[in-house]
């Protein structure tokens, strides 16, 4: 989003603070080696829908900070053996996000955090199991301001769950809404 | 993730060089030499005053060491610098986690290359100690370390400072005690090295923030002392640092 | 400007994706001379006479001043393969080689490995007729100081051996107070980049080559109650190949795990039954510590313990199998078993708990130190004391030379074997 010139600190005074919420959705492509069982035939799907929810605090300088979550299906595969089945690997990230504008409309986002990962297995019975993985994200967005409070952005984002070696790239359309200012 | 390690290292250096090169030919930038809103940025200090930051660092341990028990405990981080003489200053840091703590101090010599670039050379002595006497543990340990270091600073904007710091990690000595048994080792071996990027800039009001990402490659990392691991391999410890400059 | 910010991002990402993949693949040990038709297996008396403490007269800078030579075997049906292990203290190195007789010489072929790092390489040695082979191959070998000289070459990685190593016999191995040398996780840890995954069938067979006289097995239950070997509480990439499955291993049925999960070196997760079958039929291990990693009923573990103790007895095998009790939960479950005080067990809790359940073994953590008084107290009650999991070389030496423990559980049984056998 554009750097809010009015928000930059004047000498001796603090600028305007605001809270902005981002909601977006799009499509993700799984970049890492998906990893499938070696002893059974399988068919992998790397492309899945994804969604993001992010809240950012805009202080009176370049650097912004916030929290991000969302939901994404990292990858899935169908087991095509004597018994058929399928596996879906889903993640809910919870990330501390730092952001900076680099031009009037282009922003970068990056930060560490964790991923709550769920694997859903339907093979010889159903099993849903969970784990947590440390990870990080990085993203770049181009925002078109609709008005003072709302902007529409296109974002490209990399999610990396470090411990489970899951990496995805997503393209999303996002809506930003400045819902609080003081 | 399966790239050749050395190839990636070269790539990183190339990326870094490309990042910094534009600064050599870019326009002039106003250098506010009187403000002191940084601790990592390698720049000669103007006044003989204490400058400090408080924050935390979080270091992830490699699975080879931590196994299933992923340790994600942040450590408190107090960082302080003070001018000694023209171009020289002292850099001290206390990293604390109650059961294990690390104190380091060392001189820096900083030199300004131009209005964007500066660098420093330094050498820190570090001492760590740990005490674990609960449950199945009756153990203590301590050791001395040496960190020769070099920092390259790049002033992106007047108050937006990027520092690339690289240091060697040299083990000087190690002592541990387990239920009355003692093991002492005096050695002077290169245990590993680390390299990191630190961003220092205003955050809100007049408060400045430090954000750091550091990659440690070492066959001994002091925070893992209680595991008594015996590996002689340089393992990878990623670390994030957040500090609020006081 | 945009470019520069992108570079910061790229650099940070590059830094944080830099993980050196460490590996220590077993080198290819093909040696045409060793595999030639004229090369024959070594006779039993030659193998036994070779065991001892050897001085490293050439190559000490790499493997230390002194090494221990011990034989072990792996049985596969009617075929038995004998392995000569060389245990070193420096860098926790060991060799494992096979031996053959060619003419009036003895050939040794295999590889070496250092466990503190990932160094490994090919090892080829020989004992000439006049360097001890003639004596070793005689019906009643008489071996004395300097009577055997093993000389040969070792290499690095897959390189042809080009570095000289000479070992000279000094004295027999220590045969005084017995010590149970117990290998952790069925033989060794995956993080030490062993030739097999931890808690796998391959590792159980390999344990003796590392000097182990017994093994510890980590036992968990699948969702349908099958006891299996697995250490961690979750499926994770430290132990298994990536397959998208995460979470507690107890969430999965045995059929699911057996079909979809492979350990890091490609093996299937073994059942406890398969593991005990392997111990009994393929190894000369005589102690098995079943470390209870779950807090459900111990009935299935107990039934397998009883079954395999019975089988061992029927085969005339000396085999002990104890149920390990690491915490209060497991202790409570153990007490639910009928006649629990007559079931062989290893209790990690207090000596009072040990008496309460009449455990055969008291097993404190090594980080409490030698505890000589408590160890003697337990031994006075007719029990044994084993310490776990001791890996630090200096402390292993101190526990062996200054302590009274009857057994040491270690990720480095070769190092425990070294310090034990060099005792005088």
């Amino acid at each position: 989003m554009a750097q809010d010139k009015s928000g930059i600190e004047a000498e001796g005074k603090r600028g305007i603070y605001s809270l902005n919420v981002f909601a977006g959705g799009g499509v993700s492509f799984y970049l890492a080696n998906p990893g499938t069982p070696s002893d059974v035939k399988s068919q992998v799907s790397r492309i899945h829908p994804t969604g993001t929810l992010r809240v950012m605090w805009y202080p009176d300088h370049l650097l912004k900070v916030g929290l991000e979550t969302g939901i994404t299906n990292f990858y899935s595969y169908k087991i095509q053996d004597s018994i058929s089945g399928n596996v879906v690997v889903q993640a809910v990230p919870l990330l501390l996000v730092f952001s900076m504008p680099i031009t009037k409309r282009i922003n970068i986002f990056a930060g560490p955090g964790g991923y709550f990962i769920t694997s859903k297995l339907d093979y010889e019975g159903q099993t849903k199991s969970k784990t947590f993985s440390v990870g990080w994200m990085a993203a770049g967005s181009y925002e078109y301001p609709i008005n003072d409070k709302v902007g529409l952005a296109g974002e490209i984002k990399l999610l990396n769950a470090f411990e489970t070696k899951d990496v995805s790239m997503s393209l999303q359309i996002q809506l930003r809404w400045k819902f609080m200012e003081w | 993730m399966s790239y050749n390690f050395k190839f990636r290292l070269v790539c990183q250096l190339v990326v870094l060089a490309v990042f910094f090169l534009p600064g050599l030919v870019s326009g002039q930038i106003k250098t506010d030499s009187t403000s002191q809103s940084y601790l990592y940025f390698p720049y000669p200090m103007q006044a003989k005053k204490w400058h400090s930051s408080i924050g935390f660092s979080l270091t992830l341990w490699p699975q080879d060491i931590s196994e299933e028990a992923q340790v994600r405990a942040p450590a408190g981080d107090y960082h302080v610098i003070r001018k000694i003489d023209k171009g020289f200053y002292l850099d001290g840091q206390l990293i604390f986690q109650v059961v294990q703590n690390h104190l380091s101090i060392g001189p820096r010599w900083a030199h300004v290359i131009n209005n964007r670039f500066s660098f420093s050379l330094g050498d820190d002595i570090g001492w760590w100690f740990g005490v674990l006497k609960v449950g199945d543990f009756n153990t203590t340990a301590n050791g001395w370390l040496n960190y020769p270091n070099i920092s390259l600073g790049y002033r992106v904007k007047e108050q937006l400072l990027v520092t690339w710091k690289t240091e060697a990690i040299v083990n000087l000595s190690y002592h541990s005690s387990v239920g009355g048994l003692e093991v002492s080792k005096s050695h002077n071996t290169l245990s590993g090295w680390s390299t990191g990027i630190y961003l220092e800039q205003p955050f809100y009001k007049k408060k400045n923030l430090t954000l750091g990402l550091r990659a440690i490659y070492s066959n001994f990392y002091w925070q893992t002392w209680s595991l008594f691991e015996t590996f002689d391999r340089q393992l990878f410890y990623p670390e994030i640092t957040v500090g609020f400059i006081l | 400007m945009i470019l520069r910010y992108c570079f910061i991002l790229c650099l940070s990402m590059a830094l944080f994706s830099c993980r050196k993949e460490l590996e220590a693949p077993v080198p290819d040990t093909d040696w045409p001379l060793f595999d030639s038709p004229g090369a024959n297996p070594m006779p039993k008396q030659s193998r036994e006479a070779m065991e001892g403490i050897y001085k490293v007269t050439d190559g000490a800078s790499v493997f230390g001043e002194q090494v221990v030579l011990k034989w072990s075997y792996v049985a596969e049906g009617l075929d038995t393969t004998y392995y000569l292990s060389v245990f070193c203290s420096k860098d926790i190195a060991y060799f494992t080689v096979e031996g053959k007789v060619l003419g009036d010489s003895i050939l040794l072929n295999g590889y070496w490995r250092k466990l503190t790092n990932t160094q490994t390489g090919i090892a080829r040695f020989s004992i000439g007729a006049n360097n001890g082979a003639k004596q070793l191959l005689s019906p009643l070998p008489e071996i004395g100081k300097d009577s055997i000289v093993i000389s040969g070459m070792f290499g690095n990685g897959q390189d042809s051996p080009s570095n000289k190593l000479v070992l000279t016999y000094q004295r027999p191995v220590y045969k005084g107070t017995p010590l149970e040398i117990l290998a952790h996780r069925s033989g060794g840890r995956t993080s030490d980049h062993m030739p097999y995954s931890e808690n796998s069938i391959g590792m159980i067979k390999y344990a003796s080559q590392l000097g182990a006289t017994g093994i510890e097995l980590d036992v968990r239950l699948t969702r349908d109650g099958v006891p299996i070997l697995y250490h961690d509480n979750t499926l994770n990439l430290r132990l298994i190949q990536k397959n998208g499955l995460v979470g507690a291993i107890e969430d999965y049925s045995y059929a699911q795990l057996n079909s979809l999960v492979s350990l890091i070196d490609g093996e299937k997760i073994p059942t406890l039954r398969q593991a005990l079958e392997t111990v009994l039929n393929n190894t000369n291990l005589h102690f098995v510590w079943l470390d209870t990693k779950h807090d459900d009923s111990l009935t299935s573990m107990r039934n397998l313990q009883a079954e395999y103790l019975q089988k061992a007895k029927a085969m005339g095998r000396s085999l002990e199998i104890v149920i390990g009790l690491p915490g209060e939960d497991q202790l409570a479950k153990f007490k639910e078993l009928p006649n629990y005080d007559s079931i062989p067990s290893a209790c990690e809790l207090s000596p009072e708990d040990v008496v309460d359940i009449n455990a055969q073994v008291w097993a404190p953590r090594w980080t409490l130190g030698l505890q000589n008084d408590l160890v003697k107290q337990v031994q006075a009650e007719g029990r044994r004391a084993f310490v776990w999991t001791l890996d630090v070389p200096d402390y292993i030496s101190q526990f062996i030379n200054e302590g009274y423990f009857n057994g040491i559980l270690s990720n480095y049984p070769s190092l425990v074997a070294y310090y034990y056998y060099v005792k005088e």
Side-chain angles (χ1 to χ4, degrees):
Chain A
M1 121 203 16
Q3 183 178 324
D4 188 352
K5 296 281 183 191
S6 64
I8 295 179
E9 178 190 39
E11 197 65 41
K13 289 183 180 178
R14 89 155 169 83
I16 298 166
Y17 296 171
S18 67
L19 284 175
N20 290 256
V21 62
F22 295 70
V27 64
S28 85
F29 181 78
Y30 190 73
L31 288 180
N33 172 13
T36 53
S38 51
D39 297 342
V40 295
K41 289 178 191 167
S42 55
Q43 188 181 9
V44 176
S45 296
R46 292 172 179 264
I47 298 173
H48 291 281
T50 184
T52 296
L53 186 68
R54 180 192 295 149
V55 177
M56 299 292 294
W57 173 43
Y58 283 35
D60 40 6
H61 289 284
L62 285 176
L63 192 68
K64 285 111 175 121
V65 65
L67 285 174
E68 175 174 317
T69 186
I71 189 161
T72 191
N73 279 1
F74 271 135
Y75 73 102
S76 62
Y77 58 87
K78 285 182 181 168
I79 298 164
Q80 298 168 321
D81 217 60
S82 53
I83 305 172
S84 59
N86 65 74
V87 173
V88 179
V89 184
Q90 196 174 69
V92 174
L94 185 60
L95 300 150
L96 178 67
V97 179
F98 296 95
S99 167
M100 250 201 261
I102 54 175
T103 69
K104 197 175 176 186
R105 292 185 175 178
I106 296 177
N107 294 273
I108 55 168
F109 301 82
Y115 291 79
F116 297 91
I117 294 174
T118 304
S119 66
K120 295 175 186 171
L121 168 66
D122 186 358
Y123 178 85
E124 302 239 18
Q126 291 190 341
T127 299
K128 187 175 173 182
S129 197
K130 295 178 179 182
T131 196
F132 178 80
S133 171
V134 167
W136 53 271
M137 67 78 82
S141 75
Y142 178 87
E143 183 183 308
Y144 177 77
I146 294 172
N147 59 37
D148 180 45
K149 292 195 169 185
V150 179
L152 191 66
E155 182 171 278
I156 182 166
K157 177 156 60 182
L158 189 77
L159 295 178
N160 187 333
F162 203 70
E163 289 160 5
T164 50
K165 294 188 180 174
D166 288 312
V167 186
S168 75
M169 178 76 80
S170 66
L171 284 171
Q172 297 190 34
I173 301 292
Q174 281 187 336
L175 201 64
R176 178 188 61 83
W177 172 41
K178 183 161 49 174
F179 68 96
M180 192 184 288
E181 191 175 88
W182 69 99
Chain B
M1 303 252 181
S2 57
Y3 301 87
N4 176 281
F5 177 71
K6 284 181 182 170
F7 173 75
R8 279 191 296 180
L9 198 64
V10 170
C11 288
Q12 287 166 28
L13 294 174
V14 169
V15 165
L16 200 77
V18 174
F19 163 61
F20 279 115
L21 276 175
L24 292 174
V25 293
S26 62
Q28 293 294 299
I29 190 167
K30 186 188 163 198
T31 304
D32 181 3
S33 59
T34 55
S35 69
Q36 178 71 56
S37 53
Y38 49 85
L39 280 97
Y40 285 93
F41 192 65
Y43 201 83
M45 293 180 69
Q46 302 302 311
K48 285 190 176 178
K49 286 182 182 172
W50 295 102
H51 294 281
S52 60
S53 74
I54 186 88
F56 69 90
S57 61
L58 180 64
T59 312
L60 295 183
W61 299 3
Q63 280 196 329
D64 274 2
I65 285 187
S66 61
E67 301 206 320
E68 68 192 313
Q70 277 296 315
V71 180
R72 302 185 183 106
D77 187 334
Y78 181 69
H79 194 170
V80 62
I81 56 175
R82 183 182 168 91
K83 180 182 176 182
I84 306 172
D85 203 352
K86 189 182 176 186
F88 287 90
Y89 57 98
L90 267 181
D91 187 307
Q93 198 167 14
L94 173 65
I95 301 168
F96 47 98
Q97 264 184 329
V98 186
V99 296
Q100 54 211 4
N101 307 283
H102 180 279
L103 184 67
S104 66
I105 189 162
R108 297 276 186 285
W109 171 70
H111 181 71
V112 177
I113 300 170
N114 59 30
N115 65 343
R116 282 193 183 271
F117 282 97
S118 58
F119 74 94
S120 74
L121 300 173
D123 188 28
D124 297 351
I125 288 289
W127 183 69
W128 62 270
F129 71 96
V131 179
L132 197 54
K133 294 193 174 188
V134 289
D136 282 348
F137 289 86
N138 182 12
T139 55
T140 63
N142 63 71
W144 288 93
L145 294 157
N146 181 220
Y147 304 99
N149 57 76
I150 181 168
S151 296
L152 181 63
Y154 177 70
R155 190 182 291 269
V156 182
K157 289 189 166 195
E158 186 185 330
Q159 287 206 63
L160 177 53
L161 312 172
V162 177
T163 304
W164 178 32
K165 181 183 178 187
T166 299
E167 66 187 2
I169 303 168
V170 181
N171 258 324
L172 299 178
S173 72
Y174 168 87
H175 175 85
S176 69
S177 168
V178 175
L181 298 173
E182 308 271 333
V183 165
S184 289
K185 283 180 181 171
S186 183
H187 40 200
N188 192 4
T189 52
L190 182 66
S191 175
W193 58 283
S194 78
T195 188
I197 295 282
Y198 299 88
L199 184 71
E200 290 170 296
Q201 69 160 95
F203 182 42
Y204 73 99
K205 290 189 180 175
K206 287 193 166 183
K207 291 297 174 194
N208 280 44
L209 183 77
T210 299
L211 280 178
L213 290 173
R214 181 180 173 219
I216 304 166
Y217 298 89
S218 182
N219 58 13
F220 176 72
Y221 181 59
W222 65 273
Q223 285 185 16
T224 66
W225 72 274
S226 61
L227 300 179
F228 291 96
E229 54 88 3
T230 52
F231 297 143
D232 182 20
R233 323 172 199 153
Q234 288 192 351
L235 299 174
F236 172 50
Y237 300 82
E239 182 180 273
I240 183 166
T241 299
V242 178
F244 295 93
I245 297 172
L246 302 174
Chain C
M1 188 64 160
I2 296 172
L3 215 56
R4 260 178 273 155
Y5 277 100
C6 290
F7 283 138
I8 293 181
L9 206 63
C10 291
L11 178 72
S12 307
M13 283 156 45
L15 282 174
F16 279 76
S17 60
C18 254
R19 302 168 86 178
K20 251 196 280 194
E21 298 294 338
L22 294 169
E23 288 178 347
V26 173
D28 182 355
T29 56
D30 281 354
W31 184 12
L33 185 64
F34 190 80
D35 297 324
S36 62
N40 297 306
M42 282 180 67
K44 184 183 178 192
Q45 78 276 9
S46 307
R47 292 196 306 269
E48 288 174 352
M50 269 183 75
E51 291 190 340
I53 311 300
Y54 286 68
K55 182 182 171 188
V56 182
T57 44
D58 209 336
S61 63
V62 184
F63 296 106
E65 302 285 336
Q66 173 177 264
V67 295
V68 173
L69 268 65
K70 282 282 290 180
W71 283 91
S72 63
Y73 71 82
V74 174
E76 299 284 356
L78 295 174
D79 291 333
T80 301
T81 308
Y82 292 90
Y83 295 97
L84 177 65
S85 297
V86 180
F87 305 129
C88 318
S89 64
K90 188 173 170 60
D91 300 331
I92 319 182
Y94 70 92
F95 292 71
T96 178
V97 296
E98 292 178 58
K100 282 185 181 173
V101 179
L102 184 66
D104 52 5
S105 297
I106 293 172
L107 302 180
L108 302 168
N109 181 35
Y111 64 92
W112 61 275
R113 170 72 207 280
K114 289 189 171 184
L115 290 178
T116 56
N117 50 44
T118 51
Q119 291 175 18
T120 185
I122 298 165
R124 290 173 189 163
F125 308 114
S126 63
I127 307 172
N130 297 324
N131 279 331
K134 198 179 286 179
Q135 185 56 241
L136 284 168
L137 295 172
S138 67
L140 288 169
E142 289 182 11
I143 304 300
K145 190 169 186 281
D146 300 331
S147 61
I148 306 172
V149 178
I150 302 172
S151 58
M153 298 287 185
F154 67 93
N156 291 306
Q158 280 297 343
D159 296 347
S160 293
S162 57
N163 307 294
K164 201 172 177 188
L165 183 70
V166 179
L167 310 176
T168 306
Y169 183 88
Q170 298 298 295
R171 59 187 168 88
V173 296
Y174 175 74
K175 286 178 180 160
T177 311
L179 180 77
E180 212 66 73
I181 301 169
L182 299 169
H184 198 210
R185 301 190 191 169
S186 84
R189 287 179 300 187
T190 290
S191 55
D192 282 307
H193 303 277
M194 306 296 290
Y196 306 96
S197 303
E198 66 183 50
N199 282 310
S200 67
I201 295 298
M203 187 58 90
I204 293 171
K205 294 178 183 173
Y206 194 63
S208 298
Q209 291 168 64
L210 298 167
T213 59
I215 51 173
E216 178 248 24
L217 303 173
D218 298 302
V219 183
R220 290 186 180 275
L221 298 180
T222 61
R223 188 174 70 198
D224 46 348
V226 179
I228 55 165
L229 305 195
Y230 193 82
H231 180 271
D232 293 1
N233 52 14
T234 60
L235 292 176
N236 60 60
L237 299 184
R238 186 184 84 77
L239 292 181
I240 66 164
Q241 295 177 353
K242 190 174 174 184
N243 59 14
L245 303 181
V246 299
I249 199 159
E250 288 83 2
D251 290 346
Y252 296 88
S253 68
Y254 177 68
Q256 289 173 331
L257 293 172
N258 193 46
S259 298
L260 305 177
V261 177
S262 296
L263 294 171
I264 204 79
D265 289 309
E267 309 96 329
K268 290 292 174 192
I269 294 176
T271 61
L272 178 57
R273 176 178 291 284
Q274 290 167 334
L276 292 176
E277 196 73 30
T278 303
V279 171
L280 200 59
N281 294 321
N282 303 104
T283 76
N284 61 343
L285 297 168
H286 57 252
F287 196 98
V288 179
W289 176 342
L290 306 180
D291 190 4
T292 311
K293 290 286 184 189
H294 62 90
D295 50 15
D296 291 326
S297 167
L298 298 180
T299 304
S300 55
M301 280 173 70
R302 165 59 188 152
N303 290 344
L304 283 167
Q305 177 197 35
E307 180 184 336
Y308 278 87
L309 285 173
Q310 192 62 39
K311 280 188 177 177
K313 194 175 175 185
M315 289 168 67
R317 269 286 303 271
S318 164
L319 179 65
E320 289 181 80
I321 305 171
V322 297
I323 294 178
L325 304 168
E328 297 287 352
D329 291 343
Q330 290 82 9
L331 186 68
K333 293 291 179 188
F334 186 74
K335 285 182 173 177
E336 291 173 7
L337 295 172
N339 302 317
Y340 66 85
D341 55 356
S342 61
I343 299 171
S345 62
C347 180
E348 297 179 23
L349 302 163
S350 69
E352 291 73 31
D353 291 315
V354 169
V355 172
D356 183 34
I357 59 168
N358 193 28
Q360 289 185 339
V361 175
W362 176 52
R365 196 180 186 124
W366 79 277
T367 43
L368 289 168
L370 293 177
Q371 304 186 88
N372 281 344
D373 291 342
L374 279 178
V375 170
K376 284 180 186 171
Q377 177 195 314
V378 165
Q379 288 168 340
E381 293 163 359
R383 309 178 208 281
R384 285 172 292 170
F386 292 176
V387 67
W388 61 276
T389 300
L390 178 52
D391 294 340
V392 184
D394 291 323
Y395 286 118
I396 290 176
S397 172
Q398 291 187 53
F399 269 75
I400 287 177
N401 293 305
E402 298 169 30
Y404 296 95
F405 281 99
N406 305 95
I408 294 177
L409 175 63
S410 176
N411 287 302
Y412 302 125
S414 67
L415 193 62
V416 178
Y418 171 87
Y419 282 115
Y420 173 65
Y421 290 122
V422 298
K423 276 176 79 167
E424 294 191 63

